[in-house]
């Protein structure tokens, strides 16, 4: 087992060995609640370890991959590729719901109880900061899975997802609006910012939030909200802490590897082995690369017969939530929106210089130089497609950008996600609706 996964697993085993149920049952019947910094660190490690692999599932809805019908897991995932969210087969894998709220439950206990029961110390501050940051990240992910993309004109009436800040297992949750969820995300990020001690985390424990990771989350949140000045500011602040870019001309490690110098937060298993085994890269994705000059092509894909498998995932080594390249992309996009195209081009070229061969980079420079604002914005989106392939970013980029038409062929039948299709918002899972009539 690899280093980062081993660290989480050992912490969870240690946590379990002293009685996991004692920490999950809140006090009554003589149960014990955590009281020390070490106790709460174990609870927090459990929250990290339970974070669901939802980003891998979103890849099956995008134009990045096609599903392989000759795999044993095909029956479990085919309806995701068909964008069938209602009246699904019992064998169909659901998008996570309970697992998200399980993570939230751990975090609420840390925030509500840990703040009162643990003596003040930098360690306590850091644990609380991470708990607030991870709760913000959880709600941000959920609202972008199960609600419409953020629109300032409609967010106050668009249905979001339920918010719970308590540790009451009996409460019946009702959906909040998109605006209320984003407001909670901002409130939690503000709390985390005031408490955060660690500027960045060491390799191996970089699944934990840090100041750099929190700023990256704030930058992404601002991007999704269309708050361009904030997106620019937060990305610059994060890059001031960690601005390394992997030069793929000299490094053979994919930039989404947990040990990459680009790694800021290595939490999400964004393209897990199940999804990797039953999919192959789409012709549309492959066509976006210059296989000769783009160094990403050989790191991201491997030929298998007459198709290409995505190889930048499928292992616990490939954990990525935030990395420095994304911050340059956010910064570039924000500068475009702020009508500063020349600066925007300079920022993106800092990444691309490390992605193409020297000759390929010269060609890209020449291609970018004459672009007007609209052309360069499209170029940014195409580069995001290439850069973050199979990292769980594409579905969200499609939602916030153009909600394009996508066609999948499954079992010889064509299925179409129309432009601006309502299915660009995933329905609440059937099991969740069955268990809660308020959803």
């Amino acid at each position: 087992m690899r280093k980062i996964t081993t660290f989480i697993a050992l912490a969870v085993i240690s946590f379990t060995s002293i009685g996991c149920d004692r920490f999950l049952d809140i006090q009554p019947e003589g149960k014990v609640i955590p009281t020390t910094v070490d106790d709460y660190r174990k609870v927090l490690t459990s929250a990290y370890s339970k974070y669901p692999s939802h980003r891998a599932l979103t890849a099956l809805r995008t134009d990045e991959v096609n599903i392989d019908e000759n795999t044993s897991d095909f029956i479990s995932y085919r309806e995701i590729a068909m964008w069938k969210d209602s009246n699904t087969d019992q064998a169909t894998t659901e998008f996570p719901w309970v697992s998200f709220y399980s993570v939230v439950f751990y975090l609420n206990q840390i925030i509500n109880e840990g703040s009162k029961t643990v003596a003040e110390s930098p360690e306590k501050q850091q644990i609380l900061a991470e708990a607030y940051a991870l709760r913000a990240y959880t709600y941000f992910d959920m609202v972008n899975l199960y609600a419409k993309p953020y629109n300032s004109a409609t967010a106050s009436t668009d249905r979001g997802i339920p918010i719970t800040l308590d540790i009451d297992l009996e409460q019946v949750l009702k959906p909040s609006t998109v605006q209320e969820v984003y407001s909670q995300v901002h409130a939690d990020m503000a709390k985390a910012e005031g408490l955060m001690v660690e500027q960045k985390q060491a390799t191996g424990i970089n699944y934990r939030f840090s100041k750099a990771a929190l700023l990256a989350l704030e930058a992404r949140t601002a991007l999704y909200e269309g708050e361009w000045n904030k997106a620019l500011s937060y990305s610059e602040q994060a890059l001031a802490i960690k601005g390394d870019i992997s030069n793929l001309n000299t490094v053979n490690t994919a930039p989404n590897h947990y040990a990459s110098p680009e790694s800021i937060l290595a939490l999400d298993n964004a393209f897990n082995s199940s999804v990797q085994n039953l999919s192959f890269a789409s012709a549309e994705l492959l066509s976006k690369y210059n296989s000769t000059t783009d160094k990403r092509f050989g790191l991201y894909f491997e030929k298998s017969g007459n198709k290409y498998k995505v190889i930048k995932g499928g292992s616990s080594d490939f954990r990525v939530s935030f990395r420095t390249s994304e911050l340059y992309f956010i910064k570039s996009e924000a500068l475009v929106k702020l009508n500063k195209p020349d600066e925007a081009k300079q920022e993106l070229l800092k990444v691309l210089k490390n992605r193409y061969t020297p000759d390929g980079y010269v060609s890209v420079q020449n291609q970018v130089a004459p672009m007007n604002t609209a052309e360069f914005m499209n170029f940014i989106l195409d580069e995001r497609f290439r850069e973050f392939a199979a990292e769980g970013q594409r579905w969200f980029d499609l939602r916030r950008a153009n909600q394009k038409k996508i066609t999948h062929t499954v079992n010889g039948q064509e299925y179409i996600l129309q432009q601006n299709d309502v299915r660009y918002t995933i329905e609440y899972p059937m099991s969740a609706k069955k268990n809660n009539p308020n959803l």
Side-chain angles (χ1 to χ4, degrees), residues 142-398:
M142 287 194 75
V143 78
N144 280 289
L145 277 177
Y146 297 117
K148 294 178 180 178
Y150 186 87
N151 181 333
S152 59
T154 61
S156 61
T157 55
D158 287 338
R159 188 191 71 170
I161 47 97
I163 298 171
T164 175
L165 307 179
D166 302 315
I167 47 180
D168 178 7
L169 295 176
E170 302 302 320
Q171 62 183 314
V172 178
L173 301 177
K174 297 180 180 180
S176 300
T177 66
V178 168
Q179 186 60 64
E180 288 169 335
V181 179
Y182 269 85
S183 294
Q184 184 59 49
V185 169
H186 283 291
D188 280 348
M189 291 191 298
K191 285 281 192 179
E193 192 168 345
L195 292 163
M196 194 70 71
V197 175
E198 300 293 340
Q199 293 291 294
K200 51 187 175 182
Q201 298 284 5
T203 300
I205 58 170
N206 51 330
Y207 64 88
R208 299 177 181 176
F209 263 94
S210 62
K211 178 69 170 179
L214 177 61
L215 286 165
L217 173 57
E218 290 176 307
R220 186 186 289 175
T221 303
L223 180 77
Y224 282 29
E225 290 178 294
E227 294 281 356
W228 310 118
N229 282 305
K230 291 180 180 179
L232 178 61
S233 176
Y234 288 131
S235 58
E236 288 178 333
Q237 290 177 62
L239 287 168
I241 298 173
K242 187 174 178 67
D244 304 316
I245 304 176
S246 295
N247 185 347
L248 301 188
N249 287 290
T250 58
V251 173
N252 289 321
T253 301
N256 63 313
H257 193 282
Y258 83 92
S260 165
E262 294 191 15
S263 180
I264 295 175
L265 183 69
L267 175 61
D268 287 274
N269 191 354
F271 198 70
N272 61 29
S273 58
S274 296
V275 174
Q276 184 195 46
N277 291 337
L278 62 84
S279 66
F280 51 88
S282 71
E284 182 169 0
L285 174 60
L286 295 171
S287 71
K288 293 291 184 179
Y289 295 87
N290 183 318
S291 60
T292 302
T293 63
D294 193 327
K295 302 296 290 186
R296 291 169 295 196
F297 190 85
L299 280 178
Y300 288 10
F301 309 106
E302 182 177 82
K303 192 159 190 178
S304 177
N306 62 350
K307 298 175 183 177
Y308 281 85
K309 297 292 289 185
V310 178
I311 58 171
K312 62 180 298 197
S315 157
S316 58
D317 283 358
F318 296 101
R319 287 190 175 261
V320 61
S321 303
F322 298 103
R323 56 186 178 91
T324 53
S325 294
E326 182 186 354
L327 297 172
Y328 285 101
F329 273 88
I330 292 174
K331 189 176 179 183
S332 181
E333 186 171 337
L335 287 165
V336 169
K337 300 295 186 180
L338 294 170
N339 200 27
K340 298 179 179 180
D342 291 339
E343 292 179 47
K345 292 174 182 179
Q346 292 172 13
E347 292 303 316
L348 190 60
L349 287 171
K350 290 177 183 177
V351 177
L352 303 188
K353 185 176 183 179
N354 295 279
R355 297 296 184 256
Y356 291 88
T357 63
D359 287 344
Y361 177 63
V362 171
S363 177
V364 170
Q365 281 182 302
N366 293 335
Q367 179 185 355
V368 165
M371 288 181 179
N372 61 33
T373 299
E375 290 169 338
F376 184 62
M377 187 64 235
N378 287 331
F379 181 78
I380 290 175
L381 294 174
D382 278 347
E383 273 296 340
R384 285 185 67 96
F385 195 12
R386 288 185 278 270
E387 177 71 15
F388 304 114
E391 289 185 35
Q393 298 246 25
R394 182 60 176 172
W395 178 248
F396 303 103
D397 280 346
L398 289 169

Side-chain angles (χ1 to χ4, degrees), residues 5-25:
T5 306
T6 302
F7 192 96
I8 297 176
L10 288 176
V12 173
I13 290 169
S14 174
F15 174 33
T16 305
S17 69
I18 62 172
C20 180
D21 285 344
R22 294 186 305 157
F23 294 128
L24 293 180
D25 294 327

